[in-house]
Structures are given as structure tokens and as C-alpha cells.
Amino acid sequence: MGCRHETVSFLSDYGTDDEFVGVVHSVVRGLAPHVAIIDITHGIPAHDTRAGGLALARSAQYLCPGVVLAVVDPGVATSRRAVAVEVGDGESVLVGPDNGLLAPAVAMVGGASRAVSLTDTGYHLSAPGPTFAGRDVFAPVAGHLANGVDLAELGEPVEPASLTPSLLAVAAVEADGIHAEVLWIDRFGNVQLNVGPDELSEVDATVGQVGDRIQVTIAGRVRSATRVVAYDEVQSGAVGLLVDSYGLVSLVVQRASAAADLGVVAGDAVLLSSPGEVPPGGDPGVTTPVELGSTPALCCASARPSPR
């Protein structure tokens, strides 16, 4: 027998308008009535495995030990694998589709010790059709794991290194500044970048200090941002740049949406550079046309991505 688990943490793109989340809860509890189910979020944009993977990675180090059930599965009923991945030497198991969704969280907690493809249908529900794997495959597997069923009983072993990675852009420090990407926009409109404070300090010797300015270039538009440590330190109408609660750089405005103000969405390229000269009487917040550099190539990475 494996380790009995008391908690199932559940993330999906199901939303709450339909019955999907409630049905999954009931399947898990029907098999493992002792378990507590924590809803991480069900507001992941439909089919967006990148957003789901980042949310899972942001949450991973704060989740209770147990089973993590993650379902963002645009390839449901195709040849994509359904997997369970053991981390922390059995302290937790992640269950979901092998489509890159689980990879950032697995990396965040130190990698996988074992993994299986969920090929033993004896641990699944029978179903009239194959398109609700959250109910018919992942939920019953999560329940059986919570009851102490060992990972090896659920299907064929797979090499952890063969699991599908998540492709996230890595910021690049170049002669003209840091070429970054918008990782995440939270519900407040804060714009998290794939940049840490150490990378930021490489732009210029003074940029790493609170109160200093840094130039932000997005789609040919230039804005000036000021280093702050709190959202309300940003002056009205200005842009702030702070290190958020996940240790990454975010662009923010005071009590409003920086994403709307800057006109950005997740995945947009951003150039951070030393501040240019402002014309006499000019407003450092006014946009001016410039030539943008290219976004760095994608590579496999996990993020430490920020709640306000």
C-alpha cells in the first residue's frame, strides 16, 4: 500500500457554471469520504495549459501534502497520456494530463521520484464516452490514491524525464536591456514578468534601488516606471515596478489595472532598459515610438510566479 492522503487539491478550467466541478468532488469523496478537497481555482482560461501550469507552480509550495488533481485537458480522448507523478518521495502525487500542465509544479518542488501512465482501467469509472476524463479517470485515481493505493498499481511506469515539459520564455539580458515576457496578469491587473530582481539589477547600477526609474517598452510604446515596494507607493497616473510576493518583477499602477493601462496580455514581449533622456517639459509617462527587440526563444522552465 502507498501513503494514505487527507487532502486533494483541485485545479481546472471547468469554471463553475456547469456541474463539472461538483461531479468531480463527489466522485473523489465517494471513494475517499475522509478526504478534504481544496479548490485551488477553476477559473483557468479554457484549454490554457500554460496558465494552468503557472497557477499550479505558484501554488505548489503552499499546498498541503496529498493528492493534487489538475485538469486542463484540450487533448482529452486523444493519445495524450493520463499520468500520476509522485514528488517529495511520496509526500504528494500530482494527477492529470501529460500535456505540460504538471511540469512547472513538479520542477518547483524538486522533481519527480516516480511516475505512471494511468492505464489500469480497473481504477477508472466506466463511461458512455471518453471526453470527461476529469470525472472518469483523474477523479477516481485521486480517490484511490487518497485511500493509500500505491502508484505502481495504477498503470505502467514511465520515466519522469519523458513527461511533457512546459515551454516558458526565459528573460534575456542583452546590451539594450532585459527582453522579458508577461507571465501572468492577476485579477487586479498586475503584470507579472519572467524577471527576477537579480536580472533587473543588471540593467544599470542604479535601477535596482527603490525610487529609481526604468524604461518599459511594449509594442513600440515607451513608458517610464518607478521602483516601489508597495502598490500604493505608485503615484496616480504613473507606472510602478515592484518585486511581488512570488519574487518576480511586476508592473503595477495605483488601485487600477496595469494591464489595461499598458495594453498588454499574457505572452507579450516587454523590454526593460535604463531610462532615456526626457525632453525638457516632457512627461516621462508619455508614450513614444521605438524599435523593439525580439522575444527570447522558448525553453523548458518553471516559474516562481502574484497575488496582491
Side-chain angles (χ1 to χ4, degrees), residues 2-17:
C3 177
R4 180 180 168 92
H5 299 289
E6 303 296 324
T7 304
V8 171
S9 300
F10 182 22
L11 172 147
S12 78
D13 62 348
Y14 289 159
T16 55
D17 291 338

Side-chain angles (χ1 to χ4, degrees), residues 84-186:
V85 183
E86 182 184 83
V87 297
D89 293 324
E91 187 175 65
S92 294
V93 182
L94 287 78
V95 177
D98 182 24
N99 57 9
L101 175 67
L102 306 180
V106 170
M108 177 64 68
V109 297
S113 49
R114 290 190 296 165
V116 298
S117 178
L118 302 176
T119 52
D120 190 335
T121 57
Y123 291 98
H124 306 172
L125 299 184
S126 59
T131 61
F132 194 177
R135 177 195 67 192
D136 302 327
V137 179
F138 301 127
V141 164
H144 287 300
L145 285 167
N147 284 333
V149 172
D150 187 72
L151 196 71
E153 297 184 39
L154 300 173
E156 300 171 0
V158 298
E159 285 295 327
S162 74
L163 297 170
T164 302
S166 178
L167 299 180
L168 301 175
V170 174
V173 180
E174 300 181 5
D176 58 345
I178 302 174
H179 291 261
E181 180 179 292
V182 177
L183 272 183
W184 176 46
I185 297 169
D186 68 16

Side-chain angles (χ1 to χ4, degrees), residues 14 26 29 42-44 54-55 99-100 104 106 141 146 154 171 177 187 194 208 221 225 250 259 276-277 305:
Y14 289 159
S26 290
R29 291 268 299 170
H42 301 294
I44 301 300
L54 287 171
N99 57 9
V106 170
V141 164
L154 300 173
R187 70 178 301 272
N194 59 340
R221 304 183 306 274
S250 286
E277 182 178 348

